[in-house]
Amino acid sequence: MRSLPARRLAAVALTAAASVVALAGPAFAHVTVNPGAAAQGGYTAVDFRVPNESDTAGTVKLEVNLPLDHPLASVRTLPLPGWTAAVEKAKLDKPIKVHGNDVTEAVSKITWTADAGTRIAPGQFQEFRVSLGPLPTDTDNLVFKTLQTYDNGDIARWIDETKDGQPEPAKPAPVLKLTKAAEGDGHGVTASPAAGAHGDSSDRAAASGDAKSSDSTARTLGVVGIVVGVIGTAVGVLGLRRKSGNAAS
């Protein structure tokens, strides 16, 4: 008779562990900017990482809106086999100075459209690479509101901005955090990403790979730690119940 509550307790522990993993899963599925930070005033290369969240449909279009309140004078896309990139520009309300010249328009949106027979299939992701600059010096982040279109017509709108002190929204917009340039760096250029933007792909790939690895590892370890904690607590309770039962007998 004493085994029945123990079995129920074990079942509860396993259910709790499964729930933790299920809740942690969506955190991996956001559209994000990688690496997630760059130096103000410099140039950088970033990847818009797009996971496919649907179990039945594939992603066939990505629209990334660039902030015109902090315009970027230089925006270039890296060719991606199977996808066609279209860049849209808009007139600026107020020209900006770049290397002593007035810039009156800036890129407002980049749209990647899949060629026939190409898509991001269920269980897959794709990275869309862009070089950006010069990065503004009057803000600490750039928000890229993004639309992800599936081949069944569904659209995932990654447009919600995360606010300090509030829970992360269900569909957060990708954000590139901007940091102060290193002291003595007159151009404020981000070393590895900027090198990648101008053709040195090895440094950029290494930096991007390290950032991806660190991010994924940290998330995974966090989830595993929570699951282990839940199971450990359940095992401890079972042990105490057995000791109590033995003492009573």
Side-chain angles (χ1 to χ4, degrees), residues 18-241:
S19 299
V20 169
V21 174
L23 290 173
F28 293 88
H30 297 344
V31 174
T32 56
V33 179
N34 297 280
Q40 294 178 344
Y43 290 78
T44 191
V46 299
D47 293 320
F48 288 94
R49 186 181 300 167
V50 183
N52 197 88
E53 293 188 309
S54 174
D55 293 329
T56 57
T59 298
V60 292
K61 186 166 71 171
L62 182 74
E63 301 170 73
V64 176
N65 293 278
L66 282 70
L68 289 179
D69 54 343
H70 298 290
L72 298 164
S74 176
V75 177
R76 300 179 183 181
T77 60
L78 185 71
L80 180 64
W83 295 81
T84 300
V87 176
E88 297 180 26
K89 293 185 177 182
K91 289 287 185 181
L92 299 177
D93 294 333
K94 181 181 179 181
I96 59 174
K97 285 281 188 182
V98 178
H99 304 306
N101 299 317
D102 286 333
V103 176
T104 60
E105 64 178 15
V107 173
S108 59
K109 183 166 72 171
I110 306 172
T111 301
W112 285 272
T113 305
D115 298 341
T118 299
R119 67 173 187 164
I120 307 174
Q124 297 180 349
F125 75 95
Q126 182 62 61
E127 292 182 333
F128 301 82
R129 182 160 294 176
V130 181
S131 67
L132 307 169
L135 300 175
T137 57
D138 58 350
T139 183
D140 58 5
N141 65 71
L142 292 176
V143 179
F144 301 92
K145 295 186 177 182
T146 300
L147 302 183
Q148 177 182 9
T149 301
Y150 290 87
D151 54 13
N152 64 356
D154 290 345
I155 299 177
R157 302 178 183 276
W158 303 93
I159 61 174
D160 297 326
E161 297 188 36
T162 302
K163 298 181 179 180
D164 293 339
Q166 296 186 11
E168 183 180 69
K171 297 289 184 181
V175 176
L176 176 65
K177 295 187 180 298
L178 301 180
T179 60
K180 296 294 183 182
E183 187 175 353
D185 185 354
H187 299 286
V189 177
T190 305
S192 295
H198 294 287
D200 186 355
S201 60
S202 59
D203 287 345
R204 178 187 60 198
S208 179
D210 290 344
K212 296 170 193 172
S213 177
S214 297
D215 180 65
S216 299
T217 301
R219 292 176 183 269
T220 302
L221 290 176
V223 173
V224 171
I226 294 173
V227 173
V228 171
V230 171
I231 295 175
T233 300
V235 171
V237 172
L238 286 172
L240 290 174
R241 290 179 65 89

Side-chain angles (χ1 to χ4, degrees), residues 1-10 234-249:
M1 294 297 291
R2 286 198 298 269
S3 62
L4 183 58
R7 289 176 181 173
R8 287 179 178 174
L9 187 59
V235 171
V237 172
L238 286 172
L240 290 174
R241 290 179 65 89
R242 289 176 179 173
K243 289 182 179 179
S244 299
N246 292 336
S249 60

